[in-house]
């Protein structure tokens, strides 16, 4: 009946499946509904924590499917690994439109993802953590993520993520045929979406993005190439210092826009639409 | 059969139920297994995203229960609200040992939590975000969390969280009777657990902790007390500036320990035990 | 005779009585006449230094009375203590219009002050120093005051102080009936008077103000509540780190207004009137 | 009678006469008794505020003399001016041992001061403020003093001041013949007394001291030499930026000693003796 | 022949003779042709490295003369020393128009330079390095120069240098009678040429310039006056800390102009003309 | 004759040929003789400024050869270009032992350099400047070099350069058969030679080195790949922001060693030997 149809249309069910961690994952669902006011979506997140084996993936997929999502968003490091592959296959097999969010190594999976009909948002700056026992403990893990989240926010990466998911949600609400996003978010795509206005804020943000991306070169070298523990410990420690610096530079970029009172703010309304403002003391205006 | 018992004993199943967001939540499960190497635990996270209504809570509880956790950890703002209350009641009714992690307003629920036999870790510095539409958009939400995570990490709050959960896991592994933690994490408890060594690092961290905690005074005033939008916008914006400053001060504290090469690192082994080191270029030593 | 009357009107005699120290006190008289050019006032300061006993107070009052002030301004910590109370009582008994400047604990004295007909300016951000022998030496005392003075200046507190005293001086010069100020200077009153223009400068200043105010919570706890010396030493040290941070944040706020060349400057003329300017390279304009 | 004599010996009466302002003046009496605990001294301060004319000076001297001080300490800019000269002459004529504290231009008065038998502490880094109406308003005056106080504290200047006054107090208590201090406090004298331990902390402090001293070159040029307002406004503004930088560098110097937990603390006891400590968490030890 | 004349006119031959090092020297020739595109000049540099003896000077002069320069630019510390004097004399004797670039001690040579018909650009902020073996090693030398170059760039000194040389080149190209520059570059001349627009950027730059200049007072004292090695080591170390601070302040000045997107850029065209722009994303416009 | 031979042996003649600019070039000769005291070497530098064409190269080679150097050191960007190739060929043909110092693109020339018997020091962190007319003017060029010099100094790159040249000089003095250095200076080689002691100083320096190296990726993309001026302007501007950040991080690394008073200093003696010290206030000790 039409009522039922309308209700389905009004509230889009979004299922987030998370395997392991990347910087884009921990706050992802909150980017869509930052003040918990939104009435047009219902969210479930299922995660296997740090593990991303095939059985974990299958179980997460199962739980997510029971939620009957209108849209699935799957996050994991390196989406070409068997676990993430299994997860998206089960979802796609269950006819759930699925967007993959992953990091640079996921580029290897792009063809595979396209073939099964999923979308993807590959985040180049979402660099691998320095996962060596001589270095990485809970505190170092947490600080790295805090720095990375700051970089991904200011440089515009998170804007790409939630805007693309929001676009898909809008299409679902309008019952349009879905065109899932297929984007590699590089430094230029990110900055263009960052909303930063001062040109030096933009170039500083681009520099922060590049530094964050290059963190991955050192962590990969430190985790997979170098075998002597004194050497790899220094490499991954240097990588985290780079990320700390990238976060400080991102912060500096945002402060430049504060200096001219032109921080872009794009809060969600309870109907899922997005408003916009630049001056701190103005009311957000609904985008037409 | 004994084999089955041993297997259960070897791998502890931990279910994380998350309703809404607090700073202690997004990375919580990774604090237990920062390099995804741990073999003694299996983790599932189920969350309803930003929403924390009773039905969401019931559904999250249901999904968590299906995982048959040996231990449940529930995170939410203000654990005295109906949603979080419902969630823990269902878990406890299902005989799942449950630890509540929440923020200062949860102090109102302490008696209730104790009565039903759950544990709690109340994080005073986990201040409420400045949830006003004129101010809080996805980027501001994300940056606030990044700053807050930095404060909670450096000041020792996260150490309390994972160490208390680890203690409970060890008890479960040893089939000991469980004594769930019941702790309000204030500035002194946090710093004592922070591992910071330089006394000025400790006092700077304590200052950062206090500033973070006081953020909550301004956001509560801005969100619930003041009605004029120009006034509350400035109040919540000032609160976020305080958190940014607290994060910078926390960072400064940690840098002091770098200056003498005595950052405490406590990585997990794959068997769940914790090793320890202070010099960057030394091997972590297993704690007896 | 009229000449005598006119002369009295032209030069207002202001007596400052200072007992003990608060951040608002050391530069107070210079806030009225920052370049020593003012011809409409004559100033005497009498102070008993760090001590604020009743006999000190009586003696200070005596010396001040001999100056025959048209207006007395009395500064002290906690104006509800016997010494400050004695001081203002003697002045009021001598028919000298008196304004009390004090810190948060003085709120207890507000009724008493009003009853005897005095005015008051209570400065919430003027937090108590960390007065423990294990911590506070001459250098630490001096640095705390330097930081506090910076906070009180930038956040607008000092503007409230001198503008209210100036208003009273103007009334005396005009032989108007006096309405002495009765203001608790909180974060919103301060920022509104700060002259800061960039909205982020204002919110940063408000954050600095709040941090400074909260310093008092820790110093009170460290000086009056906690008895173990290791604990209170850390508490008061953390409090001073908070004040140092508040000063840095206040400085950052002012720099934001420099970035757009719109620092408000309000120099006094030699007749006591106030001029105003915003651009560094413009002439101050007399306010009508 | 001996009792009377002993009582006089136990409590030394110190009179501070202040004409106009220099950075060394506003907190001077508190440097001797930073926690208001000292029982061996009684203090009176009399000041004429910003003005330093001869009549003001005579009146201040009169009021100070009524206090019957055992020791007078006189602060003013340029002690060679008629006002400060008058003030010390009256005190010396009244047989009050007198120490002059002043800034670099006071060097011209050194012979005169020695001739009348007074002591002096000339503070080279106590640079003149940028007293031009186009620039200096109450806020700028206050911030300059906050920065200057920070420099004078960390670089050791204030240590010289209170230690020399304390030495004189001790002599008075012991009824020794007085040898009043006659010192020009330059960069080497200051640093040597600063208590800073890390050699780079000392060289940074020396740099801060030199920058502060050179502020005076620009303010003198801006206030007395250059006549075009656009030029002198920039000169005095540049001078204040130098002082702000000197304060930041002084702060950086002190932080270096925090990094090794070796800040020297020299708190006063209630009997006026000085204790000493370096580690934050140790008890101060009384100096023999 | 006319062809020969035209060729000479089109390509001006500039010979740089460098004896010893000053901050103005290492990048001097690149200031004229920052992207190696310029077709109107041909450059040769001959240097004797760190040494500046008479024989070195004569040899450098000889090699430079063989290049048949239309213009010689000679850099050295203290141009009044025998080596630099010899160098310029040989060039002038060879009818080569010569501009001397040197530091403050060169003021002693001004009359001599004018008498022989050379031009000069004396750079007050180009302070002597702290040349004591206990302190100055290759790294410290290099860092001092990096800081100094930053100061000389931002404060406008380098702009004066290349603009004056460019003016002379233009005159040579136009076959005008040459008026060689004779300028002592002090703080006001520098800032006026700096292109900085925000008035606080200008005053900060002026402060940086003054600090840099005053570095020379300490290095001269440390290198030539004080004999005790512990004392002079601290003096020259303090001097280098001052230069580091000046560089940071210069950087802060430039950042202020970034905050309003108004950094002046004056790139050279391949014909030697200079274009100009302020917004980062605008095309440079050729100056008429 | 033996006398002549001994003289030759005592004073080694070093000719520096410079074509175009790289960060390793401007201060190179001073790294060997930082206080101009060295008696065992004689230095000539000949440069063609910014230009590096074949004719320039030939002329520079000619002038250098006339100096009859015992050792030639040639600096240029991309040593595989025709100009630098010509320069070294002429020198080698003239039997002058030659060391090539160049940047990453020079790796293409390594085989060629080895074949002709020259040595090389290839500096990976010596990134190309952002040579676009819309961005690069004299000031931006100069600031980039200042930042780059800071990075190359602190991260140990310059230490490799002068130590390798010094080794060759020693061999020449001892009339040993020469083994010219053939080293690609990457992040690990640099840090190992940096003398930095605190492990976090080393990892910060390594991070700075990596960021500096990656600057080259953006400048190459901005200068040679991207054609739209708005895009390439942002790319090269972002690259320079990266270098500025690398310089700040390098500075932070060195400050860490100051915090423990263990900056390595390696001054040259006048006989060319190198002394060493770590504490600021100790005498350098001659290395055996």
């Amino acid at each position: 009946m039409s009522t039922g149809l309308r209700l389905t249309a009004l509230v889009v069910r979004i299922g987030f499946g998370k395997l392991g961690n990347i910087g884009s994952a921990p706050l992802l669902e909150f980017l869509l509904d930052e003040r918990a006011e939104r009435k047009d979506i219902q969210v479930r997140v299922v995660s296997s924590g740090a593990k991303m084996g095939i059985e974990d993936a299958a179980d997460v997929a199962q739980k997510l499917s029971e939620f009957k999502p209108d849209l699935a968003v799957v996050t994991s490091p390196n989406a070409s690994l068997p676990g993430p592959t299994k997860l998206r296959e089960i979802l796609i097999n269950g006819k759930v439109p699925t967007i993959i969010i992953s990091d640079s190594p996921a580029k290897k999976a792009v063809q595979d993802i396209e073939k099964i009909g999923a979308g993807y948002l590959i985040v180049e700056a979402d660099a691998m953590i320095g996962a060596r026992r001589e270095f990485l403990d809970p505190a170092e893990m947490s600080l790295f993520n805090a720095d990375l989240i700051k970089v991904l926010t200011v440089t515009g990466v998170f804007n790409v993520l939630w805007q693309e998911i929001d676009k898909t949600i809008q299409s679902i609400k309008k019952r349009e045929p879905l065109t899932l996003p297929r984007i590699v978010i590089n430094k230029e795509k990110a900055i263009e979406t960052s909303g930063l206005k001062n040109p030096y804020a933009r170039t500083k943000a681009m520099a922060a993005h590049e530094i964050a991306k290059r963190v991955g070169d050192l962590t990969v070298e430190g985790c997979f190439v170098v075998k002597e523990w004194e050497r790899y410990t220094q490499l991954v420690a240097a990588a985290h210092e780079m990320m700390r610096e990238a976060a400080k530079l991102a912060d500096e970029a945002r402060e430049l826009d504060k200096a001219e009172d032109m921080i872009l703010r794009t809060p969600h309304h309870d109907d899922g639409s997005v408003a916009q403002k630049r001056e701190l003391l103005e009311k957000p205006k609904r985008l037409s």
Side-chain angles (χ1 to χ4, degrees), chain A residues 14-78:
Chain A
I14 314 171
F16 291 86
K18 301 184 180 179
L19 297 180
N21 191 39
I22 53 173
S24 302
L27 298 172
L28 186 58
E29 60 272 23
F30 305 111
L31 291 173
L32 296 178
D33 189 13
E34 68 277 2
R35 287 181 322 286
E37 293 178 354
R38 212 164 150 176
K39 297 204 163 66
D40 67 327
I41 57 172
Q42 196 180 5
V43 162
R44 278 300 170 279
V45 185
V46 184
S47 164
S48 56
K51 301 294 168 45
M52 42 193 299
I54 293 183
E55 284 177 49
D56 292 311
D59 188 55
V60 166
Q62 167 65 19
K63 285 280 176 289
L64 264 195
S65 302
E66 292 169 9
F67 175 59
K68 299 190 188 308
D70 300 306
L71 172 67
V73 180
V74 172
T75 68
S76 77
N78 190 353

Side-chain angles (χ1 to χ4, degrees), chain A residues 24-245:
Chain A
S24 302
L27 298 172
L28 186 58
E29 60 272 23
F30 305 111
L31 291 173
L32 296 178
D33 189 13
E34 68 277 2
R35 287 181 322 286
E37 293 178 354
R38 212 164 150 176
K39 297 204 163 66
D40 67 327
I41 57 172
Q42 196 180 5
V43 162
R44 278 300 170 279
V45 185
V46 184
S47 164
S48 56
K51 301 294 168 45
M52 42 193 299
I54 293 183
E55 284 177 49
D56 292 311
D59 188 55
V60 166
Q62 167 65 19
K63 285 280 176 289
L64 264 195
S65 302
E66 292 169 9
F67 175 59
K68 299 190 188 308
D70 300 306
L71 172 67
V73 180
V74 172
T75 68
S76 77
N78 190 353
S80 71
L81 292 176
T85 304
K86 172 59 100 188
L87 175 48
R88 68 176 169 267
E89 283 173 359
I90 296 177
L91 290 164
I92 295 285
N93 286 343
K95 312 289 182 206
V96 185
T98 300
I99 299 171
I100 311 301
I101 296 180
S102 192
D103 54 11
S104 276
K107 290 178 189 171
K108 290 176 289 189
V110 157
Q111 273 197 310
D112 181 62
I113 294 170
E114 294 193 352
K115 203 164 60 186
I116 64 171
Y120 56 83
L121 296 161
I122 293 179
V123 181
E124 288 196 342
D126 200 338
M128 184 187 158
I129 203 168
R132 285 291 198 175
R133 192 184 296 160
E134 289 82 0
F135 178 67
L136 197 77
D137 72 341
E140 193 70 47
M141 179 280 300
S142 177
L143 294 172
F144 181 84
N145 275 281
D147 284 333
L148 178 48
I149 287 169
K150 197 159 259 194
V151 173
L152 297 176
T153 306
V154 175
T155 63
V157 172
F158 278 2
N159 283 356
V160 180
L161 298 187
W162 67 259
Q163 289 173 11
E164 292 299 327
I165 299 174
D166 262 353
K167 269 191 233 168
T168 308
I169 293 170
Q170 294 310 316
S171 289
I172 292 171
K173 286 164 71 174
K174 295 182 193 161
R175 305 186 166 280
E176 296 172 353
L178 292 188
T179 312
L180 296 172
R182 289 177 174 170
I183 302 174
V184 174
I185 307 172
N186 61 15
K187 60 185 176 299
E188 289 190 296
K189 172 67 182 171
I191 301 314
E192 162 196 312
T193 320
S194 69
L196 291 167
K197 197 162 175 184
N198 178 301
Y200 290 98
R202 294 168 73 91
T203 54
K204 283 175 195 287
M206 191 182 282
H209 188 283
E210 184 69 12
I211 294 171
K213 177 183 157 193
R214 290 311 183 178
V215 164
D217 295 349
L218 260 67
T219 47
V220 166
E221 185 182 355
C223 293
F224 303 130
V225 180
V226 172
K227 300 303 174 201
E228 302 90 332
W229 75 268
E230 292 93 341
R231 285 182 60 213
Y232 66 62
T233 301
Q234 293 188 64
L235 286 168
V236 296
H240 281 221
E241 292 290 343
M242 286 172 72
M243 191 58 87
R244 176 171 173 267
E245 213 58 27

